Amino acid sequence: MIPPNPPPEARSDILRQWAGTPVTALVSLVSAAVAISVTWALVDWAVISAVSPTRPIEECAGASGACWRFYLEKSRFMLFGTYPYAEHWRPALVSLLLLALSALVGLRITGRLRWLRPRMLLALWAGVIPMAFVLMGGGWTGLLAVDMSRWNGMPVLLILSVIAIALAFPLGVALAVLRHQTRRPVLRRAALVYIEGMRGIPMVTVLFVGVFVLPLTLPPDTRISPVMATLIALVFFHASYFAEDVRGGLQSLPVSQQEAAFSLGLSRGKTMRLVLLPQALSRSLPALVNSVIGAYKDTSLVVVLGIHDLTSTARMAFSEPGWGQFALEAYAFVGAWFLLSCAFLSWVGRELHRNQGARRR
Amino acid sequence: MQHAPPPARRSAPDRVGLAVVGAILLSLTILGGNIWLNMQAAGVTPGYGFLSQTAGFDLSESLIPYDAGDSYGRVILAGLLNTVFLAICGLVLATGLGVVMGLVSVTPSPAGRMIALLYVELFRNLPKILVLLVLYVVAVRGLPPVREALSIGPLHLTNRSIYMPAIEADARQLWLLLPLAAAVAVAVLWHRHARRIKRDTGRDIVVLPVILAAIIGLPLIFAVLADTPLVPSLPEFRRFDFDGGARLSVQFIVVLVTLGLYHGAQIAEVVRGGILSVPQGQVEAARALGLTPRHVTRFVVLPQVLRIVIPPMINQYVNLIKNTSIAIAVGYSDLMSISGTIINQTFRPLEMMLVTMGLYLGLCLVASSLMNRLNDRLRARGAGGAA
């Protein structure tokens, strides 16, 4: 009997990974080329062709890379815009407060900081939100009054994202409950129409309604600033997205939960508040975090309404005559901020997924 | 002892619900009254009469003939068509990019996976408006002015528009729709015929070449016979600007690329999730049964991937349609920026926003119901095939 041929030696793993088939080889080749050229372009822009911040800004005129001096001269403007210069500590403090509070919430829902009770967080929100407006607006306790039209940059971005999301959340939960329950069909229908209608139109149209139609609905001779109008519009818009996420959580609960709660003698309201909602919320957290990331990023759409959030102040920073060449530097600043802050939010989302996976197993 | 079933309870009318909805409607009426008062004070009477007035502003581009003397109604229609056109191009670009990057993200190649991951993470963590503004600045600054156009063959890139060859428009070309409709009918019938033969006899007959031949051939034969004018037109530089051919504005290209990149990243994630959800054991089992790799993909992997991927894909498409409205940031004449212009001109925010939101809502509903119907049919067929 002829012994069978021994199988050929297995190719080394690295080779198989990079070029196991012709298609894989092509993908590797193209990707490597793209990776190298992108890395090279970045390094060239940020280091090799860049002008160091110690050189005067005039030297940037001929350079093809980043002008780091630009950040020295303009970061404060990009952060706070035309807010009175001597009062910059106020928008800075507001931004820090809102960021810190958001970070606390993010850490808490991933299971850290257990000592922080939800009730304490609620109290913090209730304190920080009015405080943000008082600090920014001033006008009493000796603070210089600053008109809302001069609220610019980072604090506006955070007010319109963090505060809008915080206010939209309870509204979204209420809408989800209304759409989920069956006892009041008229309210159920109304919630459905509202949620589906809002989700079927672009955010820009809602912002336009806020800025152009909302002021008209007020009694004659009353005014509302564009920032406030936008905030209100955003609350109503985001609520519809949160409502769908929470409803997803409510729907995923087994009916037996409700039946068990009823048979224990809990009323409908208590069943919802004590049994169904807590479970539904924790199940819908990953989806909610996704919606929050979307809402946060989309906040910068307010640029089209002439509201000066971070993206808009960056644009202002290079719109002055003579500064036009620094457009990329200015946008890179905004991009870096969003990459950083969204990285935190994405991390929260991943942690939630991991925790839930662990709990199910 | 047997209990009789409880008598069916007639559900009481939802009094609380009616009261709440009534209260909401009442407050909306009060707000509406305020709008009326405010508009009266500004010397405007609410109503839609203005739609037939002369718009008086020009559009950078339009798919239908339009000039500044046309009515507001017509300019809204032009904007709606621009939005639809942008959305369709965006769907194609985002799907292509998303599918390719999704596939690359599951290749064995580490370099490919890294690039796909970077791409997805970058565009999922940057606001689309920022991407749009950056691309716009780069395009307007990076591309040459019209006199020094960057020419690649018959393509001419400038910092205002991109010019390309086209076929000169002629009303008689509309007749070509007739043979095209006939070709589609032939294709559908032939497809059914092939399915019947496959079911009855198990034989495969050529399908795709026949369909392609019908769709290309019938209009072509018709064009030759009926002498339809199909004159190619190349863009040529005359004194100040290019003449002839087709032109796409830089604004359009920039919005299109933004939508493609942004939604491409989301679609890549969807595709990736769909592919990873098919257990490797199924592929191995199918191979063990003697299916060729092509048949494994066609009959085992693809049906399952599609089943998972299509619903989130529909969601993405609807989002893309809504996101075309970011075009207002660079001034492409889509529905949203036209309605913004009209609001500034006429001081009729309420009427215009109702029209605009209604149109967007309609577009999204039409698109999602079309795609859901398609999905249902695909599913029904998949179930039938399995039985």
Side-chain angles (χ1 to χ4, degrees):
Chain A
M1 209 171 90
I2 308 165
N5 283 339
E9 286 283 309
R11 278 192 268 186
S12 75
D13 247 13
I14 291 183
L15 194 62
R16 193 159 7 150
Q17 273 185 342
W18 283 78
T21 65
V23 177
T24 315
L26 186 70
V27 168
S28 297
L29 211 64
V30 173
S31 306
V34 170
I36 291 170
S37 50
V38 167
T39 316
W40 173 252
L42 268 182
V43 171
D44 182 49
W45 182 79
V47 183
I48 300 174
S49 310
V51 179
S52 104
T54 54
R55 318 290 307 175
I57 194 129
E58 286 76 25
E59 282 190 23
C60 295
S64 62
C67 177
W68 291 100
R69 181 79 191 210
F70 171 80
Y71 294 112
L72 275 188
E73 309 253 340
K74 285 287 184 184
S75 7
R76 206 153 149 180
F77 180 79
M78 285 194 279
L79 283 174
F80 306 123
T82 57
Y83 203 87
Y85 196 81
E87 306 284 324
H88 273 186
W89 62 271
R90 282 155 57 184
L93 185 61
V94 167
S95 307
L96 282 179
L97 276 175
L98 290 175
L99 284 176
L101 193 47
S102 318
L104 279 185
V105 173
L107 290 173
R108 180 64 182 77
I109 61 176
T110 58
R112 289 164 179 78
L113 313 178
R114 290 271 176 198
W115 49 268
L116 202 60
R117 318 284 356 150
R119 202 158 288 178
M120 291 158 73
L121 274 178
L122 212 63
L124 277 176
W125 279 112
V128 165
I129 293 178
M131 200 161 132
F133 284 97
V134 170
L135 260 177
M136 287 295 286
W140 33 312
T141 61
L143 287 176
L144 180 73
V146 179
D147 190 66
M148 264 192 169
S149 61
R150 294 188 71 180
W151 297 16
N152 289 168
M154 184 65 94
V156 171
L157 172 69
L158 292 175
I159 286 174
L160 290 182
S161 53
V162 176
I163 295 187
I165 289 168
L167 295 179
F169 181 66
L171 184 58
V173 173
L175 281 168
V177 170
L178 284 183
R179 191 174 170 185
H180 184 74
Q181 52 86 33
T182 47
R183 195 172 143 80
R184 308 222 171 274
V186 176
L187 283 181
R188 179 187 166 92
R189 193 69 55 81
L192 179 135
V193 168
Y194 176 82
I195 294 172
E196 292 303 324
M198 266 303 184
R199 287 166 56 91
I201 53 178
M203 184 164 135
V204 184
T205 58
V206 181
L207 293 177
F208 261 72
V209 170
V211 170
F212 292 108
V213 181
L214 189 64
L216 283 181
T217 62
L218 300 176
D221 302 323
T222 36
R223 293 180 154 271
I224 183 170
S225 81
V227 174
M228 270 323 257
T230 311
L231 182 67
I232 293 170
L234 284 175
V235 168
F236 282 105
F237 183 74
H238 294 327
S240 64
Y241 283 80
F242 296 157
E244 276 303 273
D245 298 333
V246 175
R247 191 175 73 105
L250 280 170
Q251 276 183 331
S252 75
L253 294 178
V255 192
S256 52
Q257 289 288 331
Q258 186 176 1
E259 289 164 356
F262 281 169
S263 69
L264 285 173
L266 291 181
S267 68
R268 279 172 188 275
K270 277 196 168 164
T271 302
M272 184 52 85
R273 216 176 63 235
L274 302 176
V275 179
L276 300 183
L277 257 188
Q279 299 185 71
L281 282 180
S282 96
R283 284 186 185 212
S284 55
L285 271 179
L288 279 169
V289 169
N290 264 339
S291 295
V292 165
I293 296 180
Y296 172 58
K297 288 192 304 173
D298 281 350
T299 306
S300 42
L301 277 174
V302 298
V303 173
V304 302
L305 294 159
I307 289 169
H308 299 301
D309 79 325
L310 192 63
T311 314
S312 181
T313 47
R315 195 156 66 160
M316 277 156 71
F318 69 83
S319 302
E320 294 166 41
W323 292 86
Q325 46 184 324
F326 303 121
L328 281 184
E329 278 87 348
Y331 283 144
F333 185 82
V334 185
W337 167 253
F338 272 103
L339 284 182
L340 191 74
S341 43
C342 289
F344 172 73
L345 293 173
S346 308
W347 172 81
V348 170
R350 277 198 307 276
E351 286 288 294
L352 285 172
H353 268 293
R354 225 186 49 189
N355 293 354
Q356 295 210 332
R359 212 174 304 153
R360 298 246 162 94
R361 235 170 272 136
Chain B
M1 200 179 111
Q2 286 258 319
H3 283 287
R9 202 155 50 103
R10 268 245 323 273
S11 55
D14 178 10
R15 290 221 180 77
V16 178
L18 284 174
V20 171
V21 171
I24 293 173
L25 287 180
L26 186 68
S27 41
L28 283 180
T29 319
I30 294 173
L31 297 181
N34 279 336
I35 294 184
W36 203 76
L37 285 180
N38 280 313
M39 286 178 79
Q40 287 282 311
V44 190
T45 312
Y48 279 103
F50 74 98
L51 284 180
S52 55
Q53 290 169 10
T54 305
F57 63 93
D58 226 333
L59 291 185
S60 63
E61 54 209 304
S62 165
L63 296 173
I64 50 171
Y66 169 83
D67 67 68
D70 281 325
S71 66
Y72 282 118
R74 191 169 175 85
V75 77
I76 293 173
L77 178 66
L80 180 65
L81 289 177
N82 276 343
T83 289
V84 173
F85 179 58
L86 177 62
I88 291 174
C89 296
L91 292 187
V92 174
L93 184 64
T95 310
L97 197 59
V99 170
V100 168
M101 291 316 268
L103 292 175
V104 168
S105 71
V106 293
T107 55
S109 160
R113 286 207 305 264
M114 193 190 73
I115 285 289
L117 183 77
L118 276 181
Y119 163 68
V120 168
E121 286 300 315
L122 187 66
F123 284 97
R124 288 206 325 167
N125 288 332
L126 285 179
K128 46 195 172 276
I129 194 87
L130 183 66
V131 177
L132 178 67
L133 292 174
V134 170
L135 286 178
Y136 187 58
V137 164
V138 169
V140 169
R141 302 241 171 109
L143 288 172
V146 69
R147 287 182 171 281
E148 301 145 29
L150 181 68
S151 298
I152 310 165
L155 271 183
H156 305 282
L157 312 179
T158 75
N159 61 6
R160 262 183 283 153
S161 304
I162 288 170
Y163 301 87
M164 61 186 81
I167 288 169
E168 262 176 50
D170 192 301
R172 278 181 287 167
Q173 286 163 0
L174 287 179
W175 287 106
L176 287 177
L177 289 177
L178 280 180
L180 200 65
V184 169
V186 167
V188 170
L189 289 178
W190 186 259
H191 187 236
R192 285 209 186 139
H193 173 65
R195 284 237 315 267
R196 200 168 306 132
I197 291 207
K198 174 87 178 169
R199 191 190 60 203
D200 294 346
T201 67
R203 272 189 305 125
D204 281 315
I205 59 171
V206 279
V207 177
L208 204 59
V210 173
I211 290 178
L212 281 180
I215 287 188
I216 297 170
L218 279 182
L220 211 62
I221 294 170
F222 182 90
V224 171
L225 290 181
D227 199 20
T228 311
L230 292 171
V231 186
S233 134
L234 290 173
E236 263 177 73
F237 191 71
R238 306 256 164 79
R239 295 190 56 163
F240 299 115
D241 204 351
F242 282 91
D243 204 17
R247 84 174 251 286
L248 291 173
S249 66
V250 159
Q251 283 86 348
F252 173 82
I253 302 278
V254 164
V255 181
L256 176 64
V257 172
T258 306
L259 290 175
L261 285 171
Y262 186 81
H263 287 281
Q266 320 257 353
I267 290 176
E269 271 302 277
V270 170
V271 171
R272 195 175 105 90
I275 293 175
L276 289 183
S277 71
V278 179
Q280 190 59 30
Q282 293 209 5
V283 178
E284 284 161 12
R287 293 285 287 141
L289 286 172
L291 268 69
T292 63
R294 228 188 86 213
H295 280 155
V296 173
T297 309
R298 168 74 184 77
F299 294 111
V300 179
V301 179
L302 203 57
Q304 303 190 64
V305 171
L306 282 184
R307 192 165 271 249
I308 292 176
V309 159
I310 287 180
M313 214 65 145
I314 295 176
N315 201 10
Q316 280 303 318
Y317 287 168
V318 173
N319 283 344
L320 192 148
I321 294 176
K322 287 188 282 177
N323 283 341
T324 53
S325 56
I326 60 169
I328 189 177
V330 292
Y332 171 68
S333 313
D334 77 325
L335 180 57
M336 190 63 231
S337 46
I338 282 174
S339 90
T341 312
I342 297 180
I343 289 175
N344 280 335
Q345 276 196 359
T346 60
F347 189 61
R348 294 183 180 279
L350 177 69
E351 293 97 318
M352 269 322 293
M353 285 325 294
L354 284 178
V355 169
T356 312
M357 294 195 295
L359 287 174
Y360 274 113
L361 195 58
L363 265 185
C364 290
L365 286 182
V366 167
S368 69
S369 66
L370 273 183
M371 288 184 287
N372 279 321
R373 289 241 308 262
L374 199 71
N375 185 28
D376 289 346
R377 296 225 1 217
L378 275 178
R379 281 189 169 215
R381 189 178 302 167

PDB file of all heavy atoms in Angstrom, chain A residues 29-46:
ATOM      1  N   LEU A  29      -2.605  45.261   1.069  1.00  0.00           N
ATOM      2  CA  LEU A  29      -1.732  46.197   0.349  1.00  0.00           C
ATOM      3  C   LEU A  29      -2.349  47.599   0.338  1.00  0.00           C
ATOM      4  O   LEU A  29      -1.713  48.586   0.711  1.00  0.00           O
ATOM      5  CB  LEU A  29      -1.544  45.687  -1.086  1.00  0.00           C
ATOM      6  CG  LEU A  29      -0.228  46.021  -1.736  1.00  0.00           C
ATOM      7  CD1 LEU A  29       0.895  45.327  -0.981  1.00  0.00           C
ATOM      8  CD2 LEU A  29      -0.244  45.576  -3.201  1.00  0.00           C
ATOM      9  N   VAL A  30      -3.632  47.661  -0.083  1.00  0.00           N
ATOM     10  CA  VAL A  30      -4.293  48.962  -0.180  1.00  0.00           C
ATOM     11  C   VAL A  30      -4.383  49.606   1.199  1.00  0.00           C
ATOM     12  O   VAL A  30      -4.071  50.791   1.372  1.00  0.00           O
ATOM     13  CB  VAL A  30      -5.698  48.813  -0.806  1.00  0.00           C
ATOM     14  CG1 VAL A  30      -6.447  50.126  -0.753  1.00  0.00           C
ATOM     15  CG2 VAL A  30      -5.585  48.322  -2.227  1.00  0.00           C
ATOM     16  N   SER A  31      -4.788  48.806   2.209  1.00  0.00           N
ATOM     17  CA  SER A  31      -4.942  49.367   3.557  1.00  0.00           C
ATOM     18  C   SER A  31      -3.618  49.887   4.083  1.00  0.00           C
ATOM     19  O   SER A  31      -3.563  50.974   4.674  1.00  0.00           O
ATOM     20  CB  SER A  31      -5.474  48.311   4.519  1.00  0.00           C
ATOM     21  OG  SER A  31      -6.641  47.753   4.017  1.00  0.00           O
ATOM     22  N   ALA A  32      -2.561  49.100   3.878  1.00  0.00           N
ATOM     23  CA  ALA A  32      -1.258  49.542   4.368  1.00  0.00           C
ATOM     24  C   ALA A  32      -0.859  50.842   3.692  1.00  0.00           C
ATOM     25  O   ALA A  32      -0.365  51.777   4.347  1.00  0.00           O
ATOM     26  CB  ALA A  32      -0.214  48.456   4.126  1.00  0.00           C
ATOM     27  N   ALA A  33      -1.117  50.925   2.375  1.00  0.00           N
ATOM     28  CA  ALA A  33      -0.772  52.155   1.662  1.00  0.00           C
ATOM     29  C   ALA A  33      -1.546  53.335   2.228  1.00  0.00           C
ATOM     30  O   ALA A  33      -0.981  54.404   2.487  1.00  0.00           O
ATOM     31  CB  ALA A  33      -1.058  51.983   0.173  1.00  0.00           C
ATOM     32  N   VAL A  34      -2.870  53.119   2.438  1.00  0.00           N
ATOM     33  CA  VAL A  34      -3.700  54.201   2.982  1.00  0.00           C
ATOM     34  C   VAL A  34      -3.193  54.592   4.370  1.00  0.00           C
ATOM     35  O   VAL A  34      -3.010  55.778   4.675  1.00  0.00           O
ATOM     36  CB  VAL A  34      -5.178  53.768   3.039  1.00  0.00           C
ATOM     37  CG1 VAL A  34      -5.996  54.788   3.818  1.00  0.00           C
ATOM     38  CG2 VAL A  34      -5.736  53.608   1.645  1.00  0.00           C
ATOM     39  N   ALA A  35      -2.929  53.571   5.204  1.00  0.00           N
ATOM     40  CA  ALA A  35      -2.501  53.850   6.576  1.00  0.00           C
ATOM     41  C   ALA A  35      -1.208  54.654   6.583  1.00  0.00           C
ATOM     42  O   ALA A  35      -1.085  55.651   7.306  1.00  0.00           O
ATOM     43  CB  ALA A  35      -2.317  52.539   7.344  1.00  0.00           C
ATOM     44  N   ILE A  36      -0.261  54.219   5.746  1.00  0.00           N
ATOM     45  CA  ILE A  36       1.029  54.916   5.737  1.00  0.00           C
ATOM     46  C   ILE A  36       0.866  56.348   5.246  1.00  0.00           C
ATOM     47  O   ILE A  36       1.387  57.293   5.842  1.00  0.00           O
ATOM     48  CB  ILE A  36       2.037  54.136   4.873  1.00  0.00           C
ATOM     49  CG1 ILE A  36       2.395  52.827   5.583  1.00  0.00           C
ATOM     50  CG2 ILE A  36       3.288  54.969   4.616  1.00  0.00           C
ATOM     51  CD1 ILE A  36       3.187  51.882   4.739  1.00  0.00           C
ATOM     52  N   SER A  37       0.077  56.539   4.159  1.00  0.00           N
ATOM     53  CA  SER A  37      -0.008  57.897   3.628  1.00  0.00           C
ATOM     54  C   SER A  37      -0.771  58.810   4.582  1.00  0.00           C
ATOM     55  O   SER A  37      -0.419  59.982   4.734  1.00  0.00           O
ATOM     56  CB  SER A  37      -0.616  57.898   2.223  1.00  0.00           C
ATOM     57  OG  SER A  37      -1.792  57.157   2.205  1.00  0.00           O
ATOM     58  N   VAL A  38      -1.821  58.265   5.247  1.00  0.00           N
ATOM     59  CA  VAL A  38      -2.568  59.105   6.197  1.00  0.00           C
ATOM     60  C   VAL A  38      -1.663  59.472   7.383  1.00  0.00           C
ATOM     61  O   VAL A  38      -1.606  60.637   7.800  1.00  0.00           O
ATOM     62  CB  VAL A  38      -3.844  58.385   6.674  1.00  0.00           C
ATOM     63  CG1 VAL A  38      -4.449  59.097   7.872  1.00  0.00           C
ATOM     64  CG2 VAL A  38      -4.857  58.323   5.553  1.00  0.00           C
ATOM     65  N   THR A  39      -0.960  58.469   7.915  1.00  0.00           N
ATOM     66  CA  THR A  39      -0.071  58.755   9.044  1.00  0.00           C
ATOM     67  C   THR A  39       0.973  59.790   8.648  1.00  0.00           C
ATOM     68  O   THR A  39       1.245  60.744   9.388  1.00  0.00           O
ATOM     69  CB  THR A  39       0.648  57.466   9.488  1.00  0.00           C
ATOM     70  OG1 THR A  39      -0.300  56.420   9.529  1.00  0.00           O
ATOM     71  CG2 THR A  39       1.292  57.637  10.844  1.00  0.00           C
ATOM     72  N   TRP A  40       1.543  59.600   7.448  1.00  0.00           N
ATOM     73  CA  TRP A  40       2.563  60.530   6.991  1.00  0.00           C
ATOM     74  C   TRP A  40       2.001  61.942   6.865  1.00  0.00           C
ATOM     75  O   TRP A  40       2.604  62.915   7.325  1.00  0.00           O
ATOM     76  CB  TRP A  40       3.151  60.067   5.656  1.00  0.00           C
ATOM     77  CG  TRP A  40       4.084  61.075   5.078  1.00  0.00           C
ATOM     78  CD1 TRP A  40       3.875  61.863   3.998  1.00  0.00           C
ATOM     79  CD2 TRP A  40       5.370  61.443   5.602  1.00  0.00           C
ATOM     80  NE1 TRP A  40       4.936  62.691   3.802  1.00  0.00           N
ATOM     81  CE2 TRP A  40       5.864  62.462   4.772  1.00  0.00           C
ATOM     82  CE3 TRP A  40       6.122  61.013   6.695  1.00  0.00           C
ATOM     83  CZ2 TRP A  40       7.108  63.053   4.992  1.00  0.00           C
ATOM     84  CZ3 TRP A  40       7.360  61.603   6.910  1.00  0.00           C
ATOM     85  CH2 TRP A  40       7.837  62.601   6.076  1.00  0.00           C
ATOM     86  N   ALA A  41       0.779  62.041   6.270  1.00  0.00           N
ATOM     87  CA  ALA A  41       0.172  63.365   6.094  1.00  0.00           C
ATOM     88  C   ALA A  41      -0.046  64.022   7.455  1.00  0.00           C
ATOM     89  O   ALA A  41       0.212  65.216   7.627  1.00  0.00           O
ATOM     90  CB  ALA A  41      -1.143  63.234   5.339  1.00  0.00           C
ATOM     91  N   LEU A  42      -0.514  63.232   8.429  1.00  0.00           N
ATOM     92  CA  LEU A  42      -0.769  63.775   9.765  1.00  0.00           C
ATOM     93  C   LEU A  42       0.522  64.256  10.417  1.00  0.00           C
ATOM     94  O   LEU A  42       0.585  65.365  10.956  1.00  0.00           O
ATOM     95  CB  LEU A  42      -1.419  62.701  10.654  1.00  0.00           C
ATOM     96  CG  LEU A  42      -2.942  62.677  10.675  1.00  0.00           C
ATOM     97  CD1 LEU A  42      -3.435  61.604  11.624  1.00  0.00           C
ATOM     98  CD2 LEU A  42      -3.483  64.039  11.091  1.00  0.00           C
ATOM     99  N   VAL A  43       1.553  63.387  10.369  1.00  0.00           N
ATOM    100  CA  VAL A  43       2.824  63.756  10.998  1.00  0.00           C
ATOM    101  C   VAL A  43       3.398  64.991  10.317  1.00  0.00           C
ATOM    102  O   VAL A  43       3.891  65.921  10.966  1.00  0.00           O
ATOM    103  CB  VAL A  43       3.807  62.567  10.919  1.00  0.00           C
ATOM    104  CG1 VAL A  43       5.203  63.002  11.360  1.00  0.00           C
ATOM    105  CG2 VAL A  43       3.323  61.423  11.778  1.00  0.00           C
ATOM    106  N   ASP A  44       3.295  64.996   8.977  1.00  0.00           N
ATOM    107  CA  ASP A  44       3.819  66.136   8.229  1.00  0.00           C
ATOM    108  C   ASP A  44       3.092  67.416   8.638  1.00  0.00           C
ATOM    109  O   ASP A  44       3.708  68.449   8.892  1.00  0.00           O
ATOM    110  CB  ASP A  44       3.625  65.872   6.733  1.00  0.00           C
ATOM    111  CG  ASP A  44       4.197  66.997   5.897  1.00  0.00           C
ATOM    112  OD1 ASP A  44       5.360  67.367   6.154  1.00  0.00           O
ATOM    113  OD2 ASP A  44       3.495  67.511   5.012  1.00  0.00           O
ATOM    114  N   TRP A  45       1.758  67.306   8.757  1.00  0.00           N
ATOM    115  CA  TRP A  45       0.965  68.495   9.079  1.00  0.00           C
ATOM    116  C   TRP A  45       1.257  68.966  10.505  1.00  0.00           C
ATOM    117  O   TRP A  45       1.449  70.156  10.754  1.00  0.00           O
ATOM    118  CB  TRP A  45      -0.522  68.182   8.926  1.00  0.00           C
ATOM    119  CG  TRP A  45      -1.417  69.361   9.185  1.00  0.00           C
ATOM    120  CD1 TRP A  45      -1.675  70.383   8.324  1.00  0.00           C
ATOM    121  CD2 TRP A  45      -2.146  69.647  10.375  1.00  0.00           C
ATOM    122  NE1 TRP A  45      -2.516  71.279   8.901  1.00  0.00           N
ATOM    123  CE2 TRP A  45      -2.828  70.865  10.167  1.00  0.00           C
ATOM    124  CE3 TRP A  45      -2.292  68.998  11.607  1.00  0.00           C
ATOM    125  CZ2 TRP A  45      -3.647  71.440  11.116  1.00  0.00           C
ATOM    126  CZ3 TRP A  45      -3.111  69.573  12.570  1.00  0.00           C
ATOM    127  CH2 TRP A  45      -3.779  70.781  12.319  1.00  0.00           C
ATOM    128  N   ALA A  46       1.312  68.020  11.444  1.00  0.00           N
ATOM    129  CA  ALA A  46       1.389  68.411  12.853  1.00  0.00           C
ATOM    130  C   ALA A  46       2.821  68.675  13.318  1.00  0.00           C
ATOM    131  O   ALA A  46       3.030  69.405  14.271  1.00  0.00           O
ATOM    132  CB  ALA A  46       0.753  67.332  13.726  1.00  0.00           C
TER     133      ALA A  46
END
